[in-house]
Amino acid sequence: MLSVENISLSFDTATILDNVSFQLHKGKILGLIGPNGAGKTSLIRSINGSLRVDSGKIQFKKRDMTALPPQERAQLIATVPQSRTIPAGFTVQQIVSMGRTPYLNWFGRTNPKDDQIVKSAMQRTNILKLADLPAEMLSGGEQQRVILARAFAQETPLLLLDEPTTHLDIRYQMEFLALLFEHVKKEKTTVIIAMHDLNQALRFCDEILLLSRGKVEAEGKPSKVLTENRLSRVYQYPIQIREGEDGVPAFIYPEY
Amino acid sequence: MKKENTLPKWGLILGAGVLIAVLLSIVLGSVNIPMRDFFTILRERVVGGITLSARQEKYANILFQLRIPRTLLVMLVGAALATSGGAYQGLFQNPLADPYLIGVASGAGLGSIIAMTIQWPQELQGYFAIPISAFSGAMLAVILVYSLAKVGKTIHNTTLILAGVAVSSFSNALTSFLLLNAGGELRRAIVWMMGGSTLVGWKPVLAAAPYILVGITALISMGYQLNVMQFGDEEAQQMGVPVKKVRLAIILAASLTTAAAVAFSGTIAFVGLVVPHILRRMVGNDYRQILPYSALGGAIFLLLADIAARKLLAPQEIPVGVITTLLGAPFFLYILRRTKRKTW
């Protein structure tokens, strides 16, 4: 279980996160939504230790995440970052293998078991046939799957994704999310995924955390959190929700 | 899915290249030593039981007092500069990071000169004091350049080179100032600044070797961590790399290697730029390969440059730094043009 307790974070005088608390059970998928600048990326970077919070506690599997050395933390948390940086001169396989780093020795030598895990990660993300190609030559959608495969190869019980589909077209978005959720359901991985697309959040997530100006605005089941009034207020734009036949929200759209 | 190449093809080729370059460097010079005499002398030293002619005795003296130590020193220095250049490039994620361009070498030069004005390296203490002083200068320079060049999270070509030029010029000016006050040793120091080895015999080899060998070994051991760090500090940390420790270790090791090279052979620019760049074209961006191969490639490159330095205007010698700069500067412009267009 992941437990975030009263974390706050500020830069100079700007408050980025303000007393954020929530809990997430094993195997659940939490959709992190909110307007630009709400603190989604900062929350993810606080949980993975890239940012040092001013106060509060972050515990995963009853261990204090803020105190762990990088290697141990990397065995528990993998992150798919918002911006893709693919350095030149590495093959797809070399990059996916880097996901094994927290388990390897200083010289990065992989054993047959590591190689098997890397291969399986590439299979699950449909990039096995690209294994020997230079990764910087691939399309955006393929590169994003390489980074996802690297995160899978890290075999962590917690996976953080920061708007992973932002730069992809619709086909690649759906393909990416399908691959992701198939994997995490099977492995019972706990997932936090920051998203812009409210309909994707509605469809794929078990729980939603709505952030606004660094504060938790609402948290819970998608049908409870995603209401017209609340979304319209937080996004400062009239938003409507069409309900399905069973009376639960089915489609969210801005008023035109 | 390909298995990692287990046969180090380039390692064998470069290893053979080093052997050939060493052989050439030993026999060629203002006096060429014929191969037959060379092997006779070698046999006499190893097996014994041969009487050398007077001419061969003269050759033997040249070999063991001059050529062999010089060849070893040049090898060490070439390997040092190329390996630390490769490591700086990986660390700064910038193909133009060369120990000279980023000011580290000038800092080391200033450090050496400070030590030399106190104690010219004829005395034993000089052999300890100069590398340490050079190392301090190098560290100071790299830290200064790094903090000046960093804009946000990235280090751009322009800021890196500008900061490097500023720090270099400043340390070079201080170096010149100290040299003017140095008096009698001026000419030697100027030759040293141009990258001419004024130190002969075994002492400089023995003094430089420990620093350079330790530094190169440390750098080569960090190849994998450097690979992961190509994703940037934050992502590397998410993959379990202790980024701060690795960065500090690389800066220490690369500065130590550079400093030792500069302290014992002066200013030899562009080796650290040209060699890793060519190797990157051949073996890709895997630092586990680039760094050891740079050590070999740097040794070959500087040995050949040193032979040219001895032969071109023989019997007069050109400082080897002049040769490397004549070759390296156009190459630098070529890389600069390329990186303007795309990533490296």
Side-chain angles (χ1 to χ4, degrees):
Chain A
M1 192 178 78
L2 172 71
S3 151
V4 172
E5 256 177 79
N6 300 318
I7 61 168
S8 293
L9 174 72
S10 53
F11 291 136
D12 296 331
T13 55
T15 305
I16 310 295
L17 294 174
D18 189 0
N19 248 341
V20 172
S21 298
F22 68 92
Q23 292 190 334
L24 189 61
H25 289 279
K26 181 176 158 60
K28 292 290 180 198
I29 297 165
L30 176 74
L32 200 54
I33 62 169
N36 288 332
K40 301 188 290 291
T41 298
S42 299
L43 180 53
I44 284 179
R45 294 175 68 213
S46 301
I47 295 169
N48 74 18
S50 296
L51 294 176
R52 189 183 286 271
V53 292
D54 302 333
S55 59
K57 264 200 235 166
I58 301 166
Q59 286 191 316
F60 181 62
K61 293 191 151 188
K62 300 204 167 72
R63 299 178 73 178
D64 180 3
M65 285 297 111
T66 48
L68 281 187
Q71 187 175 14
E72 281 181 53
R73 193 164 48 213
Q75 295 179 357
L76 296 170
I77 308 179
T79 307
V80 175
Q82 188 169 26
S83 59
R84 240 191 347 259
T85 43
I86 300 268
F90 292 104
T91 65
V92 168
Q93 187 191 342
Q94 281 178 323
I95 289 178
V96 177
S97 298
M98 288 184 196
R100 300 301 298 162
T101 304
Y103 308 96
L104 302 179
N105 66 12
W106 185 255
F107 306 103
R109 185 168 287 270
T110 55
N111 63 31
K113 186 177 152 260
D114 294 308
D115 294 337
Q116 187 50 46
I117 291 166
V118 167
K119 192 176 170 192
S120 140
M122 291 195 289
Q123 258 161 356
R124 289 175 186 202
T125 47
N126 277 338
I127 54 170
L128 192 56
K129 59 185 182 304
L130 309 175
D132 298 323
L133 296 180
E136 79 267 22
M137 309 279 277
L138 306 181
S139 74
E142 289 166 338
Q143 288 187 348
Q144 195 66 328
R145 278 184 281 149
V146 172
I147 300 300
L148 184 66
R150 191 187 72 191
F152 285 175
Q154 220 171 317
E155 289 198 312
T156 55
L158 178 60
L159 180 58
L160 309 177
L161 303 101
D162 191 358
E163 294 178 15
T165 58
T166 300
H167 301 290
L168 307 182
D169 68 27
I170 290 181
R171 177 194 140 200
Y172 279 127
Q173 287 193 12
M174 298 318 286
E175 201 174 78
F176 182 90
L177 293 172
L179 293 168
L180 168 67
F181 291 121
E182 189 188 339
H183 172 87
V184 299
K185 286 293 177 198
K186 195 169 145 210
E187 303 289 330
K188 295 197 168 48
T189 311
T190 312
V191 174
I192 300 180
I193 177 167
M195 294 181 133
H196 260 310
D197 190 319
L198 299 176
N199 286 298
Q200 287 176 356
L202 174 67
R203 189 144 319 159
F204 290 111
C205 299
D206 301 316
E207 287 174 45
I208 299 285
L209 184 87
L210 175 60
L211 275 180
S212 171
R213 297 174 191 198
K215 283 197 170 93
V216 178
E217 188 71 30
E219 196 224 338
K221 294 258 170 272
S223 56
K224 293 265 166 38
V225 174
L226 301 170
T227 65
E228 286 182 352
N229 279 343
R230 184 180 284 133
L231 291 176
S232 302
R233 177 162 47 80
V234 169
Y235 283 92
Q236 297 180 12
Y237 192 88
I239 287 172
Q240 299 190 342
I241 297 179
R242 188 174 295 157
E243 292 183 346
E245 286 169 6
D246 46 3
V248 295
F251 185 62
I252 304 168
Y253 59 101
E255 213 168 72
Y256 286 105
Chain B
M1 201 166 99
K2 227 169 19 190
K3 212 46 218 146
E4 292 272 320
N5 195 357
T6 43
L7 183 83
K9 181 182 71 170
W10 288 109
L12 293 175
I13 294 174
L14 290 166
V18 171
L19 283 180
I20 294 168
V22 164
L23 200 61
L24 291 176
S25 165
I26 287 175
V27 295
L28 296 178
S30 49
V31 176
N32 291 341
I33 299 173
M35 277 292 172
R36 268 181 53 195
D37 291 323
F38 171 68
F39 284 114
T40 312
I41 294 164
L42 211 59
R43 217 168 58 227
E44 191 267 336
R45 286 293 156 119
V46 179
V47 190
I50 305 167
T51 325
L52 298 178
S53 66
R55 192 175 45 116
Q56 284 171 332
E57 282 290 354
K58 200 186 85 188
Y59 288 157
N61 271 335
I62 294 176
L63 275 177
F64 291 99
Q65 300 309 314
L66 299 173
R67 293 284 170 76
I68 293 175
R70 174 162 178 165
T71 298
L72 289 176
L73 185 63
V74 167
M75 262 175 83
L76 284 170
V77 168
L81 294 174
T83 314
S84 48
Y88 282 128
Q89 285 150 26
L91 185 68
F92 294 140
Q93 293 170 42
N94 191 313
L96 300 178
D98 161 276
Y100 287 86
L101 292 174
I102 64 175
V104 180
S106 306
L110 176 60
S112 317
I113 289 289
I114 290 174
M116 286 179 192
T117 51
I118 300 164
Q119 176 76 61
W120 194 258
Q122 302 295 10
E123 305 298 323
L124 189 63
Q125 300 95 301
Y127 286 96
F128 293 105
I130 290 172
I132 289 166
S133 181
F135 177 57
S136 317
M139 283 300 293
L140 210 64
V142 72
I143 291 166
L144 203 60
V145 168
Y146 180 73
S147 46
L148 284 171
K150 206 168 166 185
V151 181
K153 272 196 281 182
T154 49
I155 295 177
H156 295 286
N157 280 350
T158 354
T159 47
L160 182 72
I161 301 301
L162 286 177
V165 166
V167 170
S168 286
S169 313
F170 186 72
S171 5
N172 287 342
L174 279 179
T175 303
S176 308
F177 177 76
L178 287 172
L179 284 177
L180 284 176
N181 289 326
E185 296 287 4
L186 189 61
R187 201 196 105 77
R188 259 179 92 144
I190 287 171
V191 175
W192 173 86
M193 272 183 79
M194 290 192 292
S197 187
T198 57
L199 303 167
V200 290
W202 286 94
K203 270 191 199 163
V205 182
L206 296 176
Y211 299 102
I212 292 179
L213 293 178
V214 166
I216 288 180
T217 310
L219 288 176
I220 287 175
S221 81
M222 266 167 291
Y224 180 70
Q225 312 290 326
L226 261 177
N227 279 352
V228 183
M229 281 171 67
Q230 299 311 299
F231 278 93
D233 288 357
E234 186 167 328
E235 265 186 82
Q237 185 137 334
Q238 294 314 316
M239 287 184 259
V241 173
V243 171
K244 279 183 193 157
K245 270 188 218 161
V246 175
R247 195 196 295 130
L248 182 66
I250 290 174
I251 288 181
L252 282 172
S255 305
L256 179 69
T257 347
T258 303
V262 172
F264 293 105
S265 55
T267 306
I268 301 172
F270 291 108
V271 179
L273 182 84
V274 173
V275 174
H277 195 85
I278 292 174
L279 287 167
R280 200 170 269 128
R281 304 251 144 234
M282 303 192 300
V283 304
N285 228 352
D286 187 342
Y287 283 90
R288 284 174 296 183
Q289 301 192 44
I290 291 177
L291 296 179
Y293 292 169
S294 289
L296 298 175
I300 297 175
F301 180 74
L302 200 60
L303 281 170
L304 296 181
D306 188 56
I307 295 168
R310 275 180 267 163
K311 294 297 285 182
L312 282 180
L313 297 181
Q316 209 195 340
E317 258 190 42
I318 310 168
V320 67
V322 174
I323 306 273
T324 60
T325 305
L326 285 176
L327 292 171
F331 192 81
F332 168 73
L333 295 175
Y334 161 75
I335 302 176
L336 194 65
R337 257 185 79 82
R338 280 189 63 91
T339 54
K340 266 204 304 200
R341 264 182 272 136
K342 51 169 246 168
T343 50
W344 47 314

